[in-house]
Amino acid sequence: MKKYFLTLIVMLISICSFAQKIKIDKGEIKLDEKTIGFVEGKKPVFTILSLDKTYAITAELKKAPNEESLVLPWIEIKDLATGKANEMEFKNKSRKFSAFNYDRSIVYELMDRNMIGTEGLNKEAIDSFVSGASAGIAAKRLGVQGEVDNANKIADTYQLAIDDYGTIFSIKAQNIDINDKRIGYIKMISPSSNGDLKYEVLDLDNNLVGTWFARGGMVSGYEKLLNQEIITFNGNVFKATFENRGNPIGYKMSQDITAMNIVRVLVGNGYTLGSKYNSGK
């Protein structure tokens, strides 16, 4: 019986914690209608102040250049008194994230990390965070974007094209017939028995080079679900964005932007397709 009541108490505490609601009203941060601090500024930089306005931090939203629009920014938290800063990503899965209310979303994120509570900003928790080891998010995200940009530049040099039959062409094709510009094939499989939608890319010898999954793709030997990602024959995984703008009236593979995105990512990362039998080398 004692164990039952302890479990019930824990559940009630959890429910009460989850029920706490943040509202931003004319710059006031309200937790369950109680003012606990203030927020000033607008995207991308917000200043969050304690209730007596003697302590303040900034929360700056940051993104890598050319990063996909659906990728959430990261947050740089800076203590205005000391100048110390550290980074965090939006990890909050228990509350609804809103791109129209970044200030409130940031406050929820800080609240889940114990940096904001019923008495406002938690100076001790914030100091521990900004004084701790760097999260390294900027270095990682900017580095990844640099790799994407480089792959795009390489893909541009191939002047890729796809016809309505899924044949992939490039000016860099190395076939015996110099007028033969084929380098491979791409096909769409919908519906797919594995994930919602998938594409397969093959070389001229019909060897499978890479498989792209829209969502929930599973591959033996790879532990994660594949979402808008290509997995290659040798286990490398690359992001390739889904895009449905290419076919407003009737489907044509030649107008399929997703298919081109997939091929560009593969070629830009060294999977240049072609054939080992007819290169003339």
Side-chain angles (χ1 to χ4, degrees):
M1 183 63 72
K2 183 178 180 182
K3 184 178 180 181
Y4 169 80
F5 280 114
L6 285 172
T7 303
L8 184 61
I9 289 168
V10 170
M11 288 176 65
L12 288 171
I13 290 171
S14 298
I15 291 169
C16 291
S17 177
F18 180 82
Q20 289 181 309
K21 184 179 179 181
I22 289 289
K23 182 167 71 172
I24 308 292
D25 183 15
K26 297 179 181 179
E28 292 186 20
I29 303 171
K30 294 188 175 183
L31 176 60
D32 296 333
E33 300 303 325
K34 174 190 174 184
T35 299
I36 60 170
F38 302 91
V39 61
E40 299 173 353
K42 59 183 180 179
K43 181 182 176 184
V45 182
F46 298 95
T47 301
I48 301 172
L49 303 99
S50 61
L51 191 58
D52 61 6
K53 296 189 176 182
T54 60
Y55 178 63
I57 62 172
T58 58
E60 182 175 356
L61 300 167
K62 296 194 170 188
K63 288 199 72 164
N66 303 317
E67 205 165 33
E68 294 176 19
S69 59
L70 292 178
V71 175
L72 293 178
W74 71 90
I75 314 163
E76 182 186 79
I77 300 297
K78 180 183 288 186
D79 184 323
L80 289 182
T82 64
K84 294 179 181 179
N86 208 342
E87 305 158 328
M88 65 174 68
E89 291 180 304
F90 284 103
K91 295 293 187 184
N92 190 335
K93 303 298 181 185
S94 63
R95 307 176 199 275
K96 186 178 179 182
F97 173 84
S98 173
F100 300 102
N101 295 286
Y102 269 112
D103 50 357
R104 189 179 66 189
S105 298
I106 289 169
V107 172
Y108 268 133
E109 199 64 42
L110 293 173
M111 187 174 164
D112 278 359
R113 297 167 188 260
N114 198 35
M115 295 184 198
I116 288 181
T118 55
E119 302 305 316
L121 289 172
N122 183 338
K123 188 175 181 180
E124 184 178 338
I126 292 168
D127 184 62
S128 175
F129 175 72
V130 298
S131 300
S134 172
I137 296 168
K140 179 182 176 182
R141 295 268 287 265
L142 292 170
V144 168
Q145 189 58 45
E147 292 173 5
V148 171
D149 292 342
N150 185 57
N152 278 328
K153 289 177 183 177
I154 293 170
D156 286 342
T157 67
Y158 280 77
Q159 295 185 27
L160 296 161
I162 303 172
D163 70 12
D164 286 335
Y165 300 99
T167 306
I168 305 165
F169 302 90
S170 168
I171 62 165
K172 290 192 176 185
Q174 297 182 6
N175 299 317
I176 293 173
D177 180 354
I178 61 171
N179 294 314
D180 183 0
K181 300 303 181 184
R182 296 173 303 138
I183 61 170
Y185 311 99
I186 183 167
K187 59 182 179 180
M188 179 180 65
I189 301 170
S190 176
S192 168
S193 59
N194 183 355
D196 289 351
L197 165 73
K198 74 177 181 180
Y199 289 73
E200 292 181 345
V201 179
L202 303 96
D203 64 18
L204 289 177
D205 304 320
N206 284 313
N207 296 309
L208 182 63
V209 176
T211 305
W212 179 92
F213 294 94
R215 184 176 62 179
M218 294 183 290
V219 173
S220 177
Y222 188 71
E223 296 179 354
K224 300 178 182 178
L225 293 178
L226 293 153
N227 299 298
Q228 294 191 43
E229 292 170 304
I230 311 162
I231 185 163
T232 64
F233 69 92
N234 58 344
N236 289 323
V237 175
F238 304 102
K239 275 282 186 186
T241 308
F242 173 77
E243 178 59 73
N244 63 1
R245 289 183 297 113
N247 282 282
I249 303 174
Y251 178 80
K252 289 185 177 181
M253 180 65 85
S254 61
Q255 303 300 314
D256 189 332
I257 299 173
T258 300
M260 180 56 76
N261 287 345
I262 293 164
V263 172
R264 283 179 58 84
V265 167
L266 283 172
V267 170
N269 283 282
Y271 295 86
T272 52
L273 308 178
S275 171
K276 63 181 180 180
Y277 297 111
N278 67 354
S279 65
K281 289 186 176 181

